[in-house]
Amino acid sequence: MRVFDPHIHMTSRTTDDYRRMAAAGVRSVVEPAFWLGQPRTNPGSFGDYFDSLLGWEPYRASQYGVRHHATLALNPKEANDPRCKGVLDLLPRYLEKDGVVAVGEIGYDSMTPAEDEAFAAQLDLAREFGLPALVHTPHRDKAAGTRRTLDVVAASGIEPGRVAVDHLNEVTVAVVKDSGCWTGFSIYPETKMSPPRMVAILQEYGIERVLVNSAADWGHSDPLLTVATGEAMLDAGFSADDVDKVLWRNPIEFYAQSGRLDLSELPEPEATFAGSSVKRGGS
Amino acid sequence: MTPETLRTLLGGVPENGWFAEAEARVRADPDAIGQLFARAGRMLGRRPLPDHPSWTAGQAGRVLLLLALTGEPLEGRAPEGAASTVTVRGRVAELYWRGDPAERLAVLHALEHLGLGEAGVPLIEDALRTNDKRLVAAALGPCAALLDDAVWRQGVVKCVFMEVPLSVVDRLGERADQPLAEMLGGLARERAAAGRRMPGDALALLNRQSLAKGWKAKEG
Ligand SMILES: [Zn+2]
């Protein structure tokens, strides 16, 4: 099984995770910029964070044979802090960078006017820089939040096929599917979505324009739940090719729209077993 | 790598037309470099160049874009309004500080040809502080001529720690001195105590230095 995790916050994970992921077949990841748990109070903190997502973290990943790309944005939660508004002015120079494959995570947290403004402005940036957009849907009032998200996406004029709406569930999948946007699912140990529920959704809605991610971060989460979902798909009768489409080809198709995805010379999974690629990935 | 070699290599890639246009734009309007320098990687290609696996067309293009900033005379004629050295220094530093690792590497590789003097030192020192083997190696390339000896020695010993081959260090044989030998000797003793080996190239360097010291002692 080869796996591309289209949404995982590796900055918050350990090298043991990289080793386990590589050994289980996770060969490529996309790390969206998001909230770090501790609020930031100035744009400079975001600049350093973005630098790390384009510098240190991809380098760290490469030592374990994992390819790392990023999506950058001012996240909806911190868009509410006026001290962080300057991040929107920082973004253009970062969105030029090679390692950036989308604008994200953008979208809603509490659906405030400040979030409206940051969301719309960043969808415009996505269009301007020829990047897809990764859109987070709120945990609270999710159904209403998802509908409002789709209205804002439609109003922005961005092509729906260049937008992934993430953290969906049984209640929100249909409306996103109908919009033409990509449907994203975060598989969590307890909340949000589990591998068996994910399989049921795939059975009902099919495997086109679906992204399955672990969204693993600093909270209770598990970077191997993408792999577990692939196994649950096989157990439910999906073919190995179906699994490959959902866990590998789909995320590539979505992020390749940036024109920047670089999957050249990815080592074969065997070569990365037990971290033996550490030397190869070096200088 | 000389600029001439880089230009020849770049001439062989299909995207060379993009580069020619980008270079002309930078010569006409140095402010354009910010965006073009970032884009060069994906526009020119991020795969290794044939026969020069440590270089990509994108990196070669970036170095040449930096050189275009200096207003080097084109066919012997300085362009009108060529940027002053002060402006070039500022621009190069900004491209480094705002760059991703590949962009920073390009700046480090270009430094030896840019003639910015002391202005390059903070950039090289920053690269030496990172834990990125590529940046550390580049910082000890020809641009390391700008570093003072104490910083340079720390860099060489850091290579041994990071398992960066000492072949990346420019003029190592020429510049290696007694204080460096003592630092390596100390490390060798620590390694021995821990039951760990020194990399072969570091041991060889240490032996050469000890031998040289022996000769000096005899002559003296
Ligand atoms: Zn997330």
Side-chain angles (χ1 to χ4, degrees):
Chain A
M1 200 184 293
R2 51 180 183 171
V3 176
F4 185 130
D5 193 334
H7 182 156
I8 183 165
H9 301 283
M10 291 311 299
T11 300
S12 306
R13 311 298 307 190
T14 65
T15 51
D16 286 355
D17 284 333
Y18 271 126
R19 271 183 218 283
R20 292 191 303 135
M21 288 161 66
V26 181
R27 296 160 68 182
S28 182
V29 297
V30 167
E31 174 157 7
F34 203 57
W35 190 49
L36 289 177
Q38 174 72 37
R40 285 160 286 200
T41 57
N42 67 88
S45 296
F46 283 81
D48 292 338
Y49 176 54
F50 296 159
D51 282 333
S52 160
L53 292 181
L54 300 172
W56 175 240
E57 202 55 42
Y59 182 72
R60 203 164 77 99
S62 75
Q63 291 179 302
Y64 302 92
V66 176
R67 189 60 53 90
H68 182 291
H69 293 86
T71 81
L72 301 185
L74 171 61
N75 64 77
K77 197 187 283 273
E78 286 172 291
N80 289 303
D81 187 333
R83 292 173 299 180
C84 297
K85 214 176 161 201
V87 177
L88 294 177
D89 305 322
L90 267 186
L91 276 170
R93 74 173 160 92
Y94 279 103
L95 295 180
E96 283 289 359
K97 304 295 185 192
D98 272 344
V100 180
V101 292
V103 173
E105 298 176 56
I106 51 176
Y108 286 120
D109 177 57
S110 309
M111 294 188 267
T112 63
E115 290 174 27
D116 279 328
E117 200 182 313
F119 187 11
Q122 293 182 99
L123 284 171
D124 288 345
L125 284 175
R127 291 180 64 189
E128 185 185 338
F129 286 86
L131 290 167
L134 179 65
V135 181
H136 163 101
T137 51
H139 307 290
R140 305 173 299 276
D141 202 7
K142 190 181 273 293
T146 304
R147 281 193 304 274
R148 185 150 153 197
T149 296
L150 293 173
D151 290 344
V152 175
V153 167
S156 80
I158 191 171
E159 227 179 280
R162 296 175 71 82
V163 177
V165 182
D166 212 341
H167 312 316
L168 301 180
N169 57 28
E170 292 83 351
V171 178
T172 50
V173 54
V175 59
V176 176
K177 188 124 188 124
D178 291 345
S179 72
C181 294
W182 286 69
T183 53
F185 299 87
S186 301
I187 316 300
Y188 265 91
E190 278 147 23
T191 53
K192 289 191 186 169
M193 181 57 58
S194 65
R197 282 167 62 199
M198 187 65 233
V199 168
I201 288 175
L202 290 167
Q203 283 165 332
E204 185 171 352
Y205 294 92
I207 59 174
E208 294 295 328
R209 276 190 283 124
V210 180
L211 301 173
V212 172
N213 61 69
S214 72
D217 57 13
W218 35 258
H220 184 41
S221 50
D222 179 350
L224 295 184
L225 283 177
T226 48
V227 177
T229 302
E231 282 158 4
M233 283 178 72
L234 292 172
D235 290 346
F238 281 101
S239 70
D241 189 66
D242 292 338
V243 173
D244 192 66
K245 178 171 170 56
V246 171
L247 294 182
W248 183 256
R249 303 198 303 270
N250 276 355
I252 290 175
E253 188 186 336
F254 178 71
Y255 287 118
Q257 297 183 92
S258 67
R260 306 188 196 175
L261 197 65
D262 180 9
L263 297 176
S264 57
E265 288 175 40
L266 262 181
E268 287 307 305
E270 293 76 20
T272 68
F273 181 72
S276 66
S277 68
V278 170
K279 293 236 162 55
R280 299 181 45 191
S283 50
Chain B
M1 287 282 247
T2 65
E4 293 70 32
T5 313
L6 292 176
R7 199 170 282 281
T8 309
L9 287 171
L10 210 50
V13 305
E15 296 83 0
N16 188 42
W18 182 88
F19 173 74
E21 215 170 282
E23 188 183 37
R25 274 185 65 195
V26 171
R27 286 190 192 280
D29 170 22
D31 284 336
I33 197 170
Q35 190 194 63
L36 296 168
F37 192 62
R39 287 186 183 179
R42 57 185 177 275
M43 298 310 290
L44 295 171
R46 294 181 267 175
R47 282 159 201 261
L49 285 171
D51 303 328
H52 296 275
S54 59
W55 280 85
T56 65
Q59 289 300 85
R62 281 180 171 142
V63 170
L64 293 174
L65 287 180
L66 288 168
L67 295 182
L69 275 181
T70 62
E72 282 287 303
L74 276 167
E75 285 138 22
R77 183 173 52 89
E80 254 171 67
S84 70
T85 321
V86 178
T87 339
V88 176
R89 274 184 194 142
R91 278 188 210 285
V92 172
E94 184 170 290
L95 287 169
Y96 179 89
W97 293 117
R98 294 188 162 189
D100 64 19
E103 292 171 64
R104 290 180 179 203
L105 275 178
V107 171
L108 295 170
H109 287 311
L111 277 181
E112 63 165 317
H113 308 296
L114 283 169
L116 302 183
E118 290 294 300
V121 172
L123 315 183
I124 307 167
E125 291 185 347
D126 173 75
L128 272 183
R129 281 192 298 269
T130 68
N131 251 338
D132 185 325
K133 291 182 187 183
R134 299 164 301 180
L135 290 169
V136 171
L140 291 167
C143 64
L146 292 168
L147 294 176
D148 76 40
D149 288 339
V151 175
W152 180 82
R153 288 183 207 111
Q154 288 285 343
V156 175
V157 178
K158 183 165 178 170
C159 281
V160 178
F161 271 93
M162 294 179 86
E163 297 181 21
V164 172
L166 292 180
S167 57
V168 304
V169 182
D170 189 54
R171 297 192 301 119
L172 176 65
E174 209 178 302
R175 205 169 170 183
D177 56 6
Q178 204 45 46
L180 176 65
E182 279 160 25
M183 287 164 81
L184 289 173
L187 178 60
R189 283 190 294 279
E190 280 182 53
R191 287 270 165 112
R196 293 178 59 206
R197 297 170 62 89
M198 287 277 277
D201 54 3
L203 269 184
L205 175 64
L206 184 55
N207 290 338
R208 277 201 305 278
Q209 292 301 120
S210 316
L211 224 62
K213 191 187 174 192
W215 280 112
K216 264 188 205 142
K218 257 189 200 164
E219 281 167 11

